[in-house]
Amino acid sequence: MAKQEHIIIIGAGLCGSLLGLRLAQRGYKVDLYESRPDLRTTDISAGRSINLALSDRGIKAMKLVGIENKVEPLCIPMYGRLIHDTEGNTFSSNYSGRDGEYINSISRGGLNGLLLDEAEQHENVTLHFNKKCTGVDIENNTAHFKCYESKEEFSVTGDVVFGTDGAGSSLRKSYYLEKKFLFSYSQNYLTHGYKELEIPADSNGKHLISKDHLHIWPRGQYMLIALPNLDGSFTVTLFLSYDEGEYNFNNLTTIEKVTEFFKTQFPDALELIPDLDKEFFGNPTGALGTVKCSPWQYKGNTLLMGDAAHAIVPFYGQGMNASFEDVVVFDSIMDQHSGDWNATFKAYEKIRKVDTDAIADLAIDNYYEMRDHVANPIFKEKRKLEMDLEKTFPTEYFSKYSMVTFNENINYAKAMKIGRAQDKALLNMIADKEIDTTENLNNILKQVQQHTNEILEEDKVAGLK
Amino acid sequence: MAKQEHIIIIGAGLCGSLLGLRLAQRGYKVDLYESRPDLRTTDISAGRSINLALSDRGIKAMKLVGIENKVEPLCIPMYGRLIHDTEGNTFSSNYSGRDGEYINSISRGGLNGLLLDEAEQHENVTLHFNKKCTGVDIENNTAHFKCYESKEEFSVTGDVVFGTDGAGSSLRKSYYLEKKFLFSYSQNYLTHGYKELEIPADSNGKHLISKDHLHIWPRGQYMLIALPNLDGSFTVTLFLSYDEGEYNFNNLTTIEKVTEFFKTQFPDALELIPDLDKEFFGNPTGALGTVKCSPWQYKGNTLLMGDAAHAIVPFYGQGMNASFEDVVVFDSIMDQHSGDWNATFKAYEKIRKVDTDAIADLAIDNYYEMRDHVANPIFKEKRKLEMDLEKTFPTEYFSKYSMVTFNENINYAKAMKIGRAQDKALLNMIADKEIDTTENLNNILKQVQQHTNEILEEDKVAGLK
């Protein structure tokens, strides 16, 4: 760099604050603008998901900026799903057959606060809160803001502008509205929304149910999940249709109906949520949407990253991890294009978009899997077999979930392609009783690999590749 | 109907004028508003596709309104593709092995003019040209217009408002911008654009190349097609990348480069297009986009139809047919809900959306097939075998193309599902040399059906349905 280039980042959430920190570490001068108040000093969690799942792709990003040791104390390891039936019985389903593979429940606010601390401590970073981006002049790298405190409007011009301003990105809106290029764009909502509730800690500040699991109450048309928090509580999320089925957000209008719904569907959970009334009617109903778009960049001036480029539904626990991985991938691309932003941005999208599209689709797959299939006998037999295969062949067999979640060196698109074929092979072999579980696992592994390869080959021929 | 209900239709293109005519036939009072001048008295074709393929689904709609005999004289039957290689050699590939199955080249303007004539002659219809819709108040069924002639702005309120205003629909834009509900929306562009050119008639007004075919010059990264017109000319369309590959719209900036491109890639076509210079640089470059959205309706007040609800790329020749079929499906749904617009609109979208999504995806499939595969040996062998199967088993075997194009009683979604499985079965059987073409066709048919069913069954198990 001849001179120190000046970078503007719109949005200091999880992705923006990590990106700002990393670019500062690389020597750039970074100004980070955030529309909300500083979350380290204000409670602004209302309605947003309070905790998230951090896994290997995200941890790799923490290592890139050197803060993995500070992140670890914020983590609660979850080793598998604990599935609750309508009788209150539970059974567990591990995430992996290998030791040391687990996902982590982590507070969004806690992690974002740590990233802001780290960014703020870097001499190259300046943080600006309460500054709402009102639009971006994408020809001139100029972002327009309004200050929520002073009510003043102002503009800032940088060498480049990054939009890490989430699913409702103002930079992306400028791409859409300015019509300077053909902008492929999609926003797709599920028929279901979500509502957050809480299982508080017991009187000793301990967790009332296993904190080593992600809890699921799968009921086909609706689903409840719960992730543990460090303070002994659980954040519970209800996924429910807006207007379909016997129970939905539109017709659950009284506490009597809500209680009846929980009593018949989630009786064990009902006993653990004392403030159901207040929370159900006080907390907002969130929408579940997927956003895809292309191009992410314009003329090497501006670039979308994180949820601004690819918002996904939460069912694979990969939203944050994918956004963090964006920064890792972008960082590696920067090494190859020595300061040429246009070339860097193009190369980044070319390599990255196929993977963010894949995780978006995988997350939709998992929505149906978690809601409808985790309690299905064939699915359960498949999961059990996969655990055995992973345990016995830890370097040879990887389930789709393991590839996506624990193998940061397999990209999402490859994990999706191979994982879907492998799932299809396993489910069909189980359904057709082609797998004899008394047979030695070595033979079963070979059978599964062979059938998976046949499926991949048939797909390839059908695509005439 | 207690009183005669008043219907406002925005857009008097192919879909809007057909819908207006049909609703008038059903007894409604219809006002049709069109932003363009009356195409029957003004030449406004510039830049739009001049001719289109009319096939069985579209013809069914013509029968519904009783004008099939008036449409027939506008049609030029095309019985198959005629593929041109770079040496100027040609080979043909029929659309069907059954007699009497063909698609028709038809002038957009001619057909739209006929539909306007028919609508105008109906006492219940009033046409309004040069009236640009500027937005719709979707709570109050009120459409706002600006008159291009008088420059005046005015509003009209109806019992219901239909948006048949094409891919750039103003009603759809109102849905998107008003944010009154969760609106799933996508616009996706291909990397290629298109440009229209002309092969004029010979000095006797005759066609210079076969008028019984749709001509294709497939070249992988680019493609030329040509459809015949009644006046002896052909409308030629070049599909080319905006900025990728050796030749693209961005780098073809001089007539020398354009001529070199055609000389190496489409030498036989070059000799037939005398005004290449004028047309290539004078005609606009069109974009190729797919639009999907949901919901199409709002509170029984407004409904999107045709391209406004589902714009697709032209590669299956089904855009107009799908829009016409919308009217047929809508008409049949109306019979079931006796005047309850909200119920009608909901039932219509519920049954119809899966099909318009399918034809959008099939059209993208065909983009790759036409560009890359029609000259592929395995593909050619498959097409030949399918023609033999259709000829020998006319009531038992239907190719994907036949199901989509000639079987108006198989909906698009089913045609896609079965057709894709059947294509996969055939291509794999040919690639694996599992088909012995000396064997009797009866056995081959059974093999194909069996493999197709296995594929469908494996997919079903993998989806755990």
Side-chain angles (χ1 to χ4, degrees):
Chain A
M1 267 179 302
K3 68 171 182 68
Q4 189 184 33
E5 285 192 285
H6 176 208
I7 287 169
I8 294 165
I9 299 177
I10 305 165
L14 292 165
C15 184
S17 53
L18 173 67
L19 176 68
L21 173 58
R22 183 58 193 159
L23 291 173
Q25 289 174 342
R26 291 186 77 113
Y28 295 97
K29 180 176 181 308
V30 176
D31 276 278
L32 253 172
Y33 293 87
E34 169 59 43
S35 65
R36 293 163 189 259
D38 188 341
L39 57 73
R40 295 167 300 178
T41 54
T42 324
D43 179 14
I44 51 167
S45 65
R48 305 202 66 190
S49 54
I50 294 168
N51 52 20
L52 299 161
L54 179 68
S55 53
D56 292 39
R57 292 173 200 271
I59 292 167
K60 185 175 179 182
M62 300 300 100
K63 289 177 182 162
L64 176 72
V65 293
I67 63 168
E68 67 275 25
N69 293 334
K70 296 181 183 172
V71 171
E72 206 187 338
L74 304 178
C75 291
I76 303 178
M78 298 183 288
Y79 298 92
R81 298 167 175 164
L82 196 71
I83 292 135
H84 298 245
D85 71 16
T86 48
E87 311 295 311
N89 305 312
T90 60
F91 67 91
S92 67
S93 171
N94 281 359
Y95 284 124
S96 170
R98 277 172 290 271
D99 290 336
E101 288 190 342
Y102 50 84
I103 63 177
N104 301 280
S105 180
I106 193 166
S107 148
R108 174 195 285 272
L111 181 55
N112 204 155
L114 172 63
L115 286 165
L116 288 171
D117 285 345
E118 294 293 317
E120 193 167 47
Q121 283 161 30
H122 200 290
E123 57 174 1
N124 289 345
V125 176
T126 310
L127 302 179
H128 309 263
F129 293 101
N130 296 301
K131 307 293 183 287
K132 168 70 186 165
C133 179
T134 55
V136 180
D137 173 350
I138 60 178
E139 295 288 358
N140 299 300
N141 319 348
T142 300
H144 306 299
F145 294 95
K146 180 172 180 175
C147 177
Y148 280 141
E149 293 163 316
S150 70
K151 312 295 176 201
E152 278 176 26
E153 300 194 0
F154 62 98
S155 300
V156 192
T157 300
D159 290 298
V160 282
V161 177
F162 288 85
T164 52
D165 46 349
S169 170
S170 57
L171 176 57
R172 200 184 65 230
K173 199 172 172 189
S174 294
Y175 285 3
Y176 182 82
L177 293 176
E178 290 205 13
K179 296 188 190 298
K180 297 206 175 223
F181 52 91
L182 293 178
F183 187 49
S184 290
Y185 171 70
S186 69
Q187 57 184 39
N188 283 298
Y189 296 98
L190 298 181
T191 55
H192 285 48
Y194 72 93
K195 177 86 73 178
E196 290 192 339
L197 308 166
E198 193 193 33
I199 297 174
D202 71 12
S203 54
N204 299 315
K206 299 287 180 197
H207 294 90
L208 282 166
I209 50 177
S210 164
K211 72 172 174 53
D212 301 329
H213 292 91
L214 188 155
H215 296 259
I216 311 186
W217 291 256
R219 299 292 181 266
Q221 283 306 300
Y222 10 86
M223 173 171 73
L224 208 63
I225 68 168
L227 276 75
N229 297 312
L230 287 174
D231 65 3
S233 67
F234 282 83
T235 302
V236 179
T237 309
L238 169 67
F239 298 96
L240 181 67
S241 173
Y242 288 103
D243 52 14
E244 289 172 356
E246 186 182 353
Y247 299 105
N248 58 55
F249 279 121
N250 279 1
N251 71 20
L252 290 180
T253 51
T254 65
I255 185 59
E256 289 73 27
K257 290 195 75 169
V258 174
T259 305
E260 175 200 310
F261 172 48
F262 272 73
K263 197 171 271 176
T264 56
Q265 298 297 321
F266 316 113
D268 55 340
L270 177 62
E271 291 176 19
L272 300 168
I273 307 172
D275 286 335
L276 183 61
D277 186 6
K278 187 175 138 227
E279 288 165 356
F280 192 90
F281 295 106
N283 290 347
T285 304
L288 297 164
T290 301
V291 171
K292 294 179 181 173
C293 65
S294 179
W296 290 340
Q297 69 111 9
Y298 184 65
K299 291 186 176 175
N301 293 344
T302 59
L303 181 70
L304 297 168
M305 262 181 146
D307 283 4
H310 49 75
I312 67 178
V313 294
F315 303 100
Y316 228 112
Q318 286 292 314
M320 171 177 67
N321 293 290
S323 292
F324 281 171
E325 193 177 58
D326 280 1
V327 177
V328 175
V329 173
F330 187 76
D331 188 72
S332 72
I333 300 280
M334 287 182 80
D335 292 335
Q336 300 160 26
H337 294 276
S338 53
D340 179 342
W341 291 112
N342 197 24
T344 305
F345 289 3
K346 278 194 174 165
Y348 166 69
E349 180 171 350
K350 197 174 171 69
I351 196 172
R352 184 65 177 154
K353 176 146 173 67
V354 61
D355 291 322
T356 57
D357 282 353
I359 192 59
D361 295 346
L362 285 164
I364 300 281
D365 287 357
N366 240 28
Y367 166 59
Y368 295 105
E369 180 173 322
M370 290 174 78
R371 228 182 54 175
D372 301 342
H373 303 156
V374 286
N376 175 302
I378 292 181
F379 178 88
K380 283 166 79 172
E381 193 174 335
K382 169 177 164 285
R383 284 302 295 168
K384 192 191 163 302
L385 180 60
E386 290 197 279
M387 291 307 103
D388 290 344
L389 288 170
E390 290 196 333
K391 199 180 284 272
T392 314
F393 308 103
T395 60
E396 285 175 78
Y397 190 81
F398 299 89
S399 70
K400 184 174 81 178
Y401 189 88
S402 286
M403 284 188 268
V404 170
T405 307
F406 305 122
N407 281 273
E408 66 275 20
N409 298 321
I410 298 178
N411 63 37
Y412 285 131
K414 189 176 175 187
M416 178 170 77
K417 187 177 164 184
I418 297 175
R420 282 181 172 176
Q422 192 170 267
D423 281 355
K424 189 172 173 178
L426 277 164
L427 290 166
N428 274 283
M429 291 167 79
I430 293 167
D432 296 346
K433 308 203 187 307
E434 283 173 23
I435 290 181
D436 175 0
T437 43
T438 62
E439 186 151 14
N440 91 40
L441 270 176
N442 209 5
N443 289 348
I444 293 178
L445 177 67
K446 279 186 189 142
Q447 273 179 283
V448 173
Q449 286 171 336
Q450 192 189 332
H451 198 158
T452 302
N453 286 335
E454 281 165 10
I455 287 168
L456 289 168
E457 183 60 27
E458 282 217 337
D459 285 345
K460 194 174 160 191
V461 170
L464 281 161
K465 306 277 184 217
Chain B
M1 265 180 305
K3 68 172 181 73
Q4 188 184 34
E5 284 192 286
H6 177 207
I7 287 169
I8 294 165
I9 300 178
I10 305 165
L14 292 165
C15 183
S17 52
L18 173 67
L19 176 68
L21 173 58
R22 183 58 192 159
L23 291 173
Q25 290 175 340
R26 292 187 76 113
Y28 296 98
K29 179 177 180 310
V30 176
D31 277 279
L32 253 171
Y33 292 86
E34 169 60 43
S35 65
R36 293 162 188 258
D38 188 341
L39 56 73
R40 296 168 298 178
T41 54
T42 325
D43 178 15
I44 51 166
S45 65
R48 306 200 65 191
S49 54
I50 294 168
N51 52 22
L52 298 160
L54 179 69
S55 53
D56 293 38
R57 292 173 200 271
I59 292 166
K60 184 174 180 183
M62 300 301 99
K63 289 176 182 164
L64 177 70
V65 293
I67 63 168
E68 68 274 26
N69 293 333
K70 295 181 183 172
V71 171
E72 205 187 340
L74 304 178
C75 291
I76 304 177
M78 299 183 289
Y79 299 91
R81 299 167 174 164
L82 195 73
I83 292 136
H84 298 244
D85 73 14
T86 49
E87 311 295 311
N89 305 312
T90 60
F91 68 90
S92 67
S93 171
N94 282 358
Y95 284 125
S96 170
R98 276 172 290 271
D99 290 337
E101 289 191 343
Y102 51 83
I103 63 177
N104 300 281
S105 180
I106 192 166
S107 149
R108 174 195 286 271
L111 182 55
N112 204 155
L114 172 63
L115 287 164
L116 288 172
D117 284 346
E118 295 292 318
E120 193 167 46
Q121 282 161 30
H122 200 291
E123 57 175 2
N124 290 346
V125 176
T126 312
L127 303 179
H128 309 263
F129 293 100
N130 296 300
K131 307 292 183 287
K132 167 70 187 167
C133 180
T134 56
V136 180
D137 174 349
I138 60 177
E139 295 288 357
N140 299 300
N141 319 349
T142 301
H144 306 298
F145 295 95
K146 180 173 181 177
C147 177
Y148 280 140
E149 292 163 317
S150 69
K151 311 296 176 200
E152 278 175 26
E153 301 194 355
F154 63 98
S155 299
V156 192
T157 300
D159 290 297
V160 280
V161 177
F162 288 86
T164 52
D165 46 347
S169 171
S170 57
L171 176 57
R172 200 183 63 230
K173 199 172 169 186
S174 294
Y175 285 3
Y176 182 82
L177 293 176
E178 290 204 15
K179 297 187 191 298
K180 296 206 174 221
F181 52 92
L182 293 178
F183 187 50
S184 290
Y185 171 71
S186 68
Q187 56 183 39
N188 283 298
Y189 295 98
L190 298 181
T191 55
H192 285 47
Y194 72 94
K195 177 87 74 178
E196 291 192 337
L197 308 166
E198 192 193 33
I199 297 176
D202 71 10
S203 54
N204 299 315
K206 299 287 182 199
H207 293 91
L208 282 165
I209 49 178
S210 165
K211 73 174 174 52
D212 302 329
H213 291 92
L214 188 154
H215 296 259
I216 312 186
W217 291 255
R219 300 291 181 267
Q221 283 307 299
Y222 10 86
M223 174 171 71
L224 208 62
I225 68 167
L227 276 76
N229 297 311
L230 287 173
D231 66 1
S233 68
F234 282 83
T235 302
V236 179
T237 309
L238 169 67
F239 298 96
L240 181 68
S241 172
Y242 288 103
D243 53 13
E244 288 172 357
E246 187 183 353
Y247 299 105
N248 58 54
F249 278 121
N250 279 1
N251 71 20
L252 291 180
T253 51
T254 65
I255 185 59
E256 290 72 28
K257 289 194 77 171
V258 174
T259 307
E260 176 200 308
F261 172 49
F262 272 72
K263 197 171 270 173
T264 57
Q265 299 296 322
F266 316 113
D268 54 340
L270 177 62
E271 290 177 19
L272 300 168
I273 307 173
D275 287 336
L276 183 61
D277 186 6
K278 188 175 137 227
E279 288 164 356
F280 192 91
F281 294 106
N283 290 347
T285 303
L288 297 164
T290 301
V291 171
K292 294 178 181 173
C293 64
S294 180
W296 290 340
Q297 70 111 10
Y298 184 65
K299 291 186 177 175
N301 292 344
T302 60
L303 180 71
L304 297 168
M305 259 181 149
D307 284 5
H310 49 75
I312 66 178
V313 295
F315 303 102
Y316 228 111
Q318 286 291 316
M320 170 177 66
N321 294 290
S323 292
F324 282 172
E325 193 177 59
D326 280 0
V327 177
V328 175
V329 173
F330 186 75
D331 187 71
S332 73
I333 300 281
M334 286 182 79
D335 292 334
Q336 301 161 25
H337 295 277
S338 54
D340 179 342
W341 292 113
N342 197 24
T344 305
F345 289 2
K346 277 195 173 164
Y348 167 69
E349 179 170 350
K350 197 172 172 71
I351 196 173
R352 186 62 178 156
K353 177 148 172 66
V354 61
D355 291 321
T356 57
D357 282 353
I359 192 58
D361 296 346
L362 285 164
I364 299 280
D365 288 356
N366 240 28
Y367 166 60
Y368 294 105
E369 179 173 321
M370 291 175 78
R371 229 182 51 175
D372 303 342
H373 304 156
V374 286
N376 175 302
I378 293 181
F379 178 88
K380 284 165 79 172
E381 195 174 333
K382 167 176 165 287
R383 284 302 293 168
K384 193 191 161 302
L385 180 60
E386 291 197 278
M387 291 307 103
D388 290 345
L389 289 169
E390 290 195 332
K391 200 181 285 274
T392 314
F393 308 104
T395 61
E396 287 176 76
Y397 189 81
F398 300 88
S399 70
K400 184 175 80 178
Y401 189 87
S402 285
M403 285 188 268
V404 171
T405 308
F406 305 121
N407 282 274
E408 65 274 22
N409 298 321
I410 299 177
N411 62 35
Y412 285 131
K414 188 175 175 191
M416 179 170 78
K417 187 177 166 185
I418 297 175
R420 281 182 173 174
Q422 191 170 269
D423 280 356
K424 190 173 173 178
L426 277 165
L427 291 165
N428 274 284
M429 291 166 79
I430 293 168
D432 296 346
K433 306 201 189 308
E434 284 173 22
I435 291 180
D436 176 359
T437 44
T438 63
E439 187 152 12
N440 90 43
L441 272 175
N442 209 5
N443 289 348
I444 294 178
L445 176 67
K446 280 185 188 141
Q447 274 179 280
V448 172
Q449 286 170 336
Q450 190 189 332
H451 198 158
T452 302
N453 287 335
E454 282 166 12
I455 287 168
L456 289 168
E457 183 59 29
E458 281 217 336
D459 286 346
K460 195 174 159 191
V461 170
L464 281 160
K465 307 275 184 217

